[in-house]
Amino acid sequence: MQLLERFDPARREGVPGYIVLIDPDKTGKDAAPQSARMCQDAGADMLFVGGSLLFSNDFDEWVRRVKAAVDIPVILFPGGGYQLSSHADGLLFLSLVSGRNAQFLVGEQVSAAPRVRAAGLDTVAVAYMLIESGTVTSVEFMSGTRPIPSSKPDIAAAHALAAGYLGFDLIYLEAGSGAAASVPDDVITAVTAVSSLPVIVGGGIRTPGEAAAKVRAGASFVVTGTALETERSAERVREFAIAVHGAAAQPS
Ligand code: 1GP
Protein backbone atom coordinates (compact mmCIF):
# COMPACT_ATOMS: atom_id res chain seq x y z
CA MET A 1 0.00 0.00 0.00
CA GLN A 2 1.22 3.50 -0.82
CA LEU A 3 2.15 5.63 2.16
CA LEU A 4 -0.47 8.24 1.32
CA GLU A 5 -3.21 5.61 1.41
CA ARG A 6 -2.27 4.74 4.96
CA PHE A 7 -3.22 8.28 5.95
CA ASP A 8 -6.51 8.28 4.06
CA PRO A 9 -9.39 8.39 6.58
CA ALA A 10 -11.76 6.87 4.00
CA ARG A 11 -9.53 3.81 3.62
CA ARG A 12 -9.56 3.51 7.38
CA GLU A 13 -13.36 3.71 7.23
CA GLY A 14 -13.24 6.81 9.37
CA VAL A 15 -11.46 5.12 12.26
CA PRO A 16 -8.89 7.56 13.69
CA GLY A 17 -5.32 6.34 13.86
CA TYR A 18 -3.11 6.02 16.91
CA ILE A 19 0.61 6.49 16.30
CA VAL A 20 3.48 5.94 18.73
CA LEU A 21 6.62 8.03 18.29
CA ILE A 22 9.79 6.25 19.33
CA ASP A 23 12.93 8.33 19.75
CA PRO A 24 16.07 6.26 19.04
CA ASP A 25 17.99 8.24 21.66
CA LYS A 26 15.51 7.29 24.37
CA THR A 27 14.99 3.65 23.40
CA GLY A 28 18.18 2.05 22.11
CA LYS A 29 18.46 -0.51 19.33
CA ASP A 30 18.48 -3.46 21.73
CA ALA A 31 15.26 -2.50 23.50
CA ALA A 32 13.43 -0.87 20.59
CA PRO A 33 12.33 -3.97 18.63
CA GLN A 34 10.54 -5.53 21.56
CA SER A 35 9.06 -2.19 22.55
CA ALA A 36 7.83 -1.62 19.01
CA ARG A 37 6.26 -5.06 18.90
CA MET A 38 4.49 -4.42 22.16
CA CYS A 39 3.05 -1.16 20.77
CA GLN A 40 1.81 -3.01 17.70
CA ASP A 41 0.23 -5.79 19.71
CA ALA A 42 -1.45 -3.29 22.02
CA GLY A 43 -3.16 -1.50 19.13
CA ALA A 44 -0.86 1.16 17.67
CA ASP A 45 -1.55 1.65 13.95
CA MET A 46 1.87 3.00 12.98
CA LEU A 47 5.22 3.90 14.44
CA PHE A 48 6.95 7.21 13.84
CA VAL A 49 10.70 7.36 14.29
CA GLY A 50 12.83 10.43 14.80
CA GLY A 51 13.56 13.42 16.97
CA SER A 52 14.67 17.05 16.88
CA LEU A 53 18.18 15.81 17.65
CA LEU A 54 19.90 12.49 17.16
CA PHE A 55 22.83 11.49 19.35
CA SER A 56 23.05 7.83 18.37
CA ASN A 57 25.04 7.01 15.24
CA ASP A 58 23.36 3.73 14.38
CA PHE A 59 20.05 5.06 13.10
CA ASP A 60 19.92 2.83 10.04
CA GLU A 61 20.51 -0.32 12.08
CA TRP A 62 17.97 0.84 14.64
CA VAL A 63 15.31 1.22 11.95
CA ARG A 64 16.25 -2.13 10.40
CA ARG A 65 15.77 -3.93 13.68
CA VAL A 66 12.49 -2.22 14.50
CA LYS A 67 11.11 -2.87 11.03
CA ALA A 68 12.04 -6.54 11.31
CA ALA A 69 10.06 -6.79 14.57
CA VAL A 70 6.70 -5.38 13.41
CA ASP A 71 4.15 -5.55 10.61
CA ILE A 72 2.71 -2.06 11.11
CA PRO A 73 4.32 0.75 9.12
CA VAL A 74 7.53 2.27 10.45
CA ILE A 75 7.63 5.84 9.20
CA LEU A 76 10.44 8.35 9.43
CA PHE A 77 9.52 11.60 11.16
CA PRO A 78 12.83 13.40 10.78
CA GLY A 79 14.21 16.35 12.67
CA GLY A 80 16.49 16.94 9.70
CA GLY A 81 17.48 15.56 6.33
CA TYR A 82 20.12 13.30 7.89
CA GLN A 83 17.53 11.04 9.57
CA LEU A 84 16.99 8.68 6.66
CA SER A 85 16.90 4.89 6.36
CA SER A 86 15.89 2.71 3.44
CA HIS A 87 14.55 0.15 5.93
CA ALA A 88 11.56 2.36 6.80
CA ASP A 89 8.19 2.08 5.07
CA GLY A 90 8.21 5.73 4.22
CA LEU A 91 9.05 9.28 5.11
CA LEU A 92 7.05 12.26 6.26
CA PHE A 93 8.47 14.85 3.87
CA LEU A 94 7.94 17.77 6.19
CA SER A 95 7.98 21.46 5.52
CA LEU A 96 7.78 23.68 8.59
CA VAL A 97 5.18 25.99 7.07
CA SER A 98 4.44 27.82 10.32
CA GLY A 99 8.01 29.15 10.31
CA ARG A 100 9.80 31.63 8.12
CA ASN A 101 13.17 29.92 8.14
CA ALA A 102 13.94 28.88 4.58
CA GLN A 103 16.21 26.09 5.83
CA PHE A 104 13.24 24.21 7.30
CA LEU A 105 10.74 25.30 4.67
CA VAL A 106 12.76 23.95 1.75
CA GLY A 107 16.54 23.85 2.36
CA GLU A 108 16.74 20.56 4.28
CA GLN A 109 14.33 19.06 1.79
CA VAL A 110 16.49 19.93 -1.20
CA SER A 111 19.60 18.54 0.52
CA ALA A 112 17.84 15.32 1.41
CA ALA A 113 15.91 14.76 -1.83
CA PRO A 114 18.63 12.91 -3.77
CA ARG A 115 19.18 10.53 -0.84
CA VAL A 116 15.44 10.03 -0.41
CA ARG A 117 15.29 9.02 -4.05
CA ALA A 118 18.31 6.76 -3.78
CA ALA A 119 16.82 5.07 -0.72
CA GLY A 120 13.61 4.41 -2.64
CA LEU A 121 11.54 5.90 0.17
CA ASP A 122 7.84 6.46 -0.28
CA THR A 123 6.91 9.98 0.85
CA VAL A 124 3.95 12.12 1.80
CA ALA A 125 4.13 15.91 1.72
CA VAL A 126 3.36 17.23 5.17
CA ALA A 127 2.57 20.82 6.11
CA TYR A 128 4.14 20.88 9.54
CA MET A 129 2.80 23.58 11.85
CA LEU A 130 4.25 24.34 15.21
CA ILE A 131 1.70 25.65 17.70
CA GLU A 132 2.79 27.59 20.76
CA SER A 133 2.59 25.46 23.90
CA GLY A 134 3.72 27.52 26.87
CA THR A 135 7.45 26.79 26.84
CA VAL A 136 10.20 26.78 24.23
CA THR A 137 10.26 23.29 22.75
CA SER A 138 13.14 21.52 21.05
CA VAL A 139 11.61 21.95 17.60
CA GLU A 140 11.10 25.66 18.18
CA PHE A 141 14.68 26.16 19.31
CA MET A 142 16.30 23.87 16.75
CA SER A 143 14.33 25.29 13.82
CA GLY A 144 14.79 28.89 14.90
CA THR A 145 11.14 29.60 14.18
CA ARG A 146 8.27 31.11 16.12
CA PRO A 147 5.23 28.92 16.65
CA ILE A 148 1.72 30.00 15.77
CA PRO A 149 0.09 31.54 18.87
CA SER A 150 -2.23 29.00 20.48
CA SER A 151 -4.86 31.70 20.97
CA LYS A 152 -5.02 32.45 17.22
CA PRO A 153 -6.92 29.61 15.53
CA ASP A 154 -7.53 31.85 12.54
CA ILE A 155 -3.79 32.04 11.82
CA ALA A 156 -3.57 28.24 11.96
CA ALA A 157 -6.57 28.06 9.63
CA ALA A 158 -4.91 30.41 7.13
CA HIS A 159 -1.82 28.18 7.12
CA ALA A 160 -4.03 25.14 6.55
CA LEU A 161 -5.71 26.82 3.59
CA ALA A 162 -2.33 27.71 2.12
CA ALA A 163 -1.18 24.11 2.63
CA GLY A 164 -4.11 22.93 0.56
CA TYR A 165 -3.47 25.40 -2.25
CA LEU A 166 0.22 24.44 -2.22
CA GLY A 167 -0.68 20.80 -2.72
CA PHE A 168 0.38 19.22 0.56
CA ASP A 169 -1.01 15.78 1.41
CA LEU A 170 -1.34 16.13 5.16
CA ILE A 171 -1.33 18.68 7.96
CA TYR A 172 0.61 18.04 11.15
CA LEU A 173 -0.30 20.20 14.15
CA GLU A 174 2.64 19.98 16.52
CA ALA A 175 2.92 21.36 20.04
CA GLY A 176 6.45 19.93 20.36
CA SER A 177 7.67 16.83 22.12
CA GLY A 178 7.16 17.08 25.85
CA ALA A 179 5.17 20.30 25.41
CA ALA A 180 3.59 21.79 28.51
CA ALA A 181 0.26 22.04 26.67
CA SER A 182 -1.01 20.12 23.67
CA VAL A 183 -2.53 21.72 20.56
CA PRO A 184 -5.79 23.38 21.69
CA ASP A 185 -8.97 21.75 20.48
CA ASP A 186 -10.22 25.00 18.95
CA VAL A 187 -7.09 25.22 16.79
CA ILE A 188 -7.76 21.73 15.46
CA THR A 189 -11.39 22.59 14.81
CA ALA A 190 -10.46 25.80 13.00
CA VAL A 191 -8.07 23.89 10.74
CA THR A 192 -10.49 21.09 9.90
CA ALA A 193 -13.24 23.65 9.23
CA VAL A 194 -11.31 25.03 6.26
CA SER A 195 -9.31 22.01 5.08
CA SER A 196 -10.23 18.52 4.03
CA LEU A 197 -6.65 17.29 4.41
CA PRO A 198 -6.13 14.63 7.09
CA VAL A 199 -4.77 16.19 10.28
CA ILE A 200 -2.17 14.61 12.55
CA VAL A 201 -1.93 16.04 16.06
CA GLY A 202 0.97 15.49 18.44
CA GLY A 203 2.99 16.96 21.26
CA GLY A 204 2.23 17.11 24.97
CA ILE A 205 -0.66 14.63 24.91
CA ARG A 206 -0.43 12.86 28.24
CA THR A 207 -3.67 10.95 28.79
CA PRO A 208 -6.01 8.79 26.72
CA GLY A 209 -8.80 11.28 27.46
CA GLU A 210 -6.75 14.11 26.01
CA ALA A 211 -6.00 12.00 22.94
CA ALA A 212 -9.71 11.32 22.44
CA ALA A 213 -10.46 15.02 22.72
CA LYS A 214 -8.09 15.72 19.82
CA VAL A 215 -10.06 13.28 17.67
CA ARG A 216 -13.38 14.81 18.65
CA ALA A 217 -11.94 18.20 17.65
CA GLY A 218 -11.13 16.82 14.20
CA ALA A 219 -7.78 15.00 14.28
CA SER A 220 -7.53 11.98 12.00
CA PHE A 221 -4.37 10.75 13.74
CA VAL A 222 -2.96 11.26 17.22
CA VAL A 223 0.72 10.84 18.11
CA THR A 224 2.18 10.22 21.54
CA GLY A 225 5.84 9.87 22.46
CA THR A 226 6.77 11.19 25.88
CA ALA A 227 3.68 9.79 27.63
CA LEU A 228 4.90 6.31 26.81
CA GLU A 229 8.55 6.96 27.56
CA THR A 230 7.66 7.28 31.21
CA GLU A 231 5.29 4.29 31.05
CA ARG A 232 5.50 2.16 27.89
CA SER A 233 3.41 -0.72 29.15
CA ALA A 234 1.08 -2.69 26.93
CA GLU A 235 -1.78 -1.62 29.11
CA ARG A 236 -1.01 2.08 28.66
CA VAL A 237 -0.65 1.74 24.88
CA ARG A 238 -3.93 -0.16 24.77
CA GLU A 239 -5.68 2.59 26.73
CA PHE A 240 -4.49 5.20 24.26
CA ALA A 241 -5.39 3.05 21.25
CA ILE A 242 -8.88 2.35 22.52
CA ALA A 243 -9.44 6.02 23.37
CA VAL A 244 -8.36 7.18 19.90
CA HIS A 245 -10.11 4.45 17.93
CA GLY A 246 -13.34 4.90 19.85
CA ALA A 247 -13.53 8.69 19.74
CA ALA A 248 -15.79 9.94 17.00
CA ALA A 249 -15.23 13.37 15.48
CA GLN A 250 -18.06 15.72 16.31
CA PRO A 251 -20.28 16.63 13.39
CA SER A 252 -19.53 20.17 12.24
C1 1GP B 1 4.77 14.12 18.07
O1 1GP B 1 6.45 15.46 18.94
C2 1GP B 1 5.28 14.77 19.24
O2 1GP B 1 4.21 15.06 17.25
C3 1GP B 1 5.44 13.85 20.36
O3 1GP B 1 5.21 14.61 21.46
O4 1GP B 1 6.59 13.39 23.06
O5 1GP B 1 5.00 15.14 23.81
O6 1GP B 1 4.15 12.96 22.98
P1 1GP B 1 5.25 13.98 22.90
Side-chain angles (χ1 to χ4, degrees), residues 21 48 77 128 172-179 200-206 223-229:
L21 171 66
F48 281 178
F77 174 42
Y128 191 55
Y172 197 133
L173 297 176
E174 172 71 273
S177 189
I200 305 171
V201 177
I205 296 170
R206 289 181 170 75
V223 185
T224 67
T226 305
L228 298 175
E229 278 157 16

Side-chain angles (χ1 to χ4, degrees), residues 150-162:
S150 57
S151 59
K152 304 284 185 192
D154 55 333
I155 295 181
H159 281 74
L161 278 172

Side-chain angles (χ1 to χ4, degrees), residues 80-156:
Y82 60 94
Q83 293 178 24
L84 296 179
S85 169
S86 59
H87 299 296
D89 291 293
L91 168 72
L92 301 184
F93 205 81
L94 306 167
S95 177
L96 183 51
V97 299
S98 59
R100 301 296 180 267
N101 179 349
Q103 183 65 20
F104 288 90
L105 276 166
V106 70
E108 289 283 322
Q109 295 80 348
V110 170
S111 302
R115 283 173 293 124
V116 171
R117 182 170 186 249
L121 280 165
D122 195 1
T123 60
V124 284
V126 182
Y128 191 55
M129 295 185 204
L130 185 58
I131 310 295
E132 181 258 320
S133 62
T135 52
V136 177
T137 58
S138 297
V139 58
E140 177 179 347
F141 182 82
M142 294 303 294
S143 67
T145 65
R146 296 181 71 182
I148 294 171
S150 57
S151 59
K152 304 284 185 192
D154 55 333
I155 295 181

Side-chain angles (χ1 to χ4, degrees), residues 27-63:
T27 308
K29 68 177 184 296
D30 294 329
Q34 191 185 1
S35 191
R37 179 91 199 180
M38 182 275 286
C39 291
Q40 168 183 289
D41 294 347
D45 297 291
M46 301 183 205
L47 298 174
F48 281 178
V49 176
S52 291
L53 281 168
L54 191 61
F55 280 75
S56 57
N57 64 357
D58 52 6
F59 185 67
D60 193 55
E61 172 64 7
W62 191 101
V63 176

